[in-house]
Amino acid sequence: MAKRLHVILARAGVASRRQAEELIREGRVAVNGKVVVDPATQVVWGQDTIRVDNRLIDRLEPKVTVILNKPRGVVTTVSDPKGRPTTAELVRDIKARLFPVGRLDYHTEGLLILTNDGELAQYLQHPKYGIPKTYLAKVKGLPTAQAMKRIRCGVILNGKQTAPAKVRKIGTTGKNTWIEMTIREGRNRQVRRMWAAVGYPVLKLKRTRYGTIRLGNLKPGTYRRLTRREIEDIRKCIPR
Ligand code: URA
């Protein structure tokens, strides 16, 4: 049966659907020897020859999904031109080609999902599903009730208000404050920018939860495969 090219690439574990669309638009995908730039191009798995960056895509990889406790000072990428440590290096002993679901910035630690399951990645990242992500943040100073309210109701970033967030104080060092917050968006450096916007810069940031998946006591720099149960819990929410 014919299917859209970006869907096939996601199923073959090349990238998420959205990333596959980008690969196609960038002219990196050829079907039967010809570069195609329209992600909706119809292809038949097993019949059409598909290459990405000249590499033949000829099998559907077994699906692998892991969570990594990304340490600070590691870049969320497959390779870094500046030679900094990457998340790909931390899961190097897994044979499948895993790609990160979204990003944690260089100084942020915590829960990062890596997978070759394009459909799962698409669901977890797409803004229309608004999957909640929970962070533990140490902010500079002692936020007022007014600042907490602004974070909760939304602050303007790049001219657009952030969606309502859940936020609570969980402790203080006297000078600084530990906050737990949950957001349903994934804008670039969103948590840091929200707190900077209300005058309390983030000093430390860690993601502890992504949808139904919890970081638990996984040590920084280590990973584990998701259990069948955890994957089923996500899968049953994916609309068909
Ligand atoms: N918000 C941030 O500011 N940084 C991250 O890495 C994730 C969310």
Side-chain angles (χ1 to χ4, degrees), residues 10-16 59-68 91-101 112-121 124 223-228 230-231 234-235:
R11 293 235 173 122
V14 172
S16 71
R59 56 197 167 96
L60 300 178
E61 287 188 341
K63 290 179 182 154
V64 181
T65 302
V66 304
I67 60 168
L68 169 72
V91 293
R92 156 168 59 194
D93 50 337
I94 293 192
K95 291 236 166 55
R97 285 162 294 137
L98 303 183
F99 49 91
V101 173
L112 182 71
I113 302 175
L114 297 132
T115 186
N116 62 354
D117 183 339
E119 195 187 20
L120 195 84
L124 289 170
Y223 67 86
R224 69 168 174 86
R225 286 186 187 229
L226 288 195
T227 63
R228 189 171 298 196
E230 284 172 318
I231 296 198
I234 303 173
R235 284 214 156 274

Side-chain angles (χ1 to χ4, degrees), residues 190-238:
Q190 180 162 343
V191 175
R192 291 178 194 275
R193 287 162 64 219
M194 286 174 78
W195 283 101
V198 297
Y200 300 90
V202 167
L203 303 173
K204 276 190 182 168
L205 187 59
K206 178 175 178 177
R207 183 156 66 197
T208 56
R209 195 164 171 182
Y210 196 122
T212 49
I213 311 296
R214 290 166 192 273
L215 181 63
N217 52 14
L218 198 62
K219 295 214 174 65
T222 66
Y223 67 86
R224 69 168 174 86
R225 286 186 187 229
L226 288 195
T227 63
R228 189 171 298 196
R229 178 73 200 270
E230 284 172 318
I231 296 198
E232 273 165 17
D233 281 349
I234 303 173
R235 284 214 156 274
K236 67 187 174 206
C237 297
I238 302 181

Side-chain angles (χ1 to χ4, degrees), residues 147-164:
M148 296 289 282
K149 185 170 160 214
R150 283 185 64 202
I151 294 281
R152 210 167 271 135
C153 298
V155 298
I156 309 286
L157 299 180
N158 290 354
K160 195 174 163 241
Q161 183 154 3
T162 57

Side-chain angles (χ1 to χ4, degrees), residues 135-139 143 148 151 166-171 177-181 195 205-206:
Y135 296 86
L136 201 56
K138 186 183 187 186
V139 301
M148 296 289 282
I151 294 281
K166 275 194 194 155
V167 57
R168 66 185 179 107
K169 291 182 192 170
I170 54 172
T177 308
W178 284 99
I179 301 281
E180 185 184 70
M181 73 184 273
W195 283 101
L205 187 59
K206 178 175 178 177

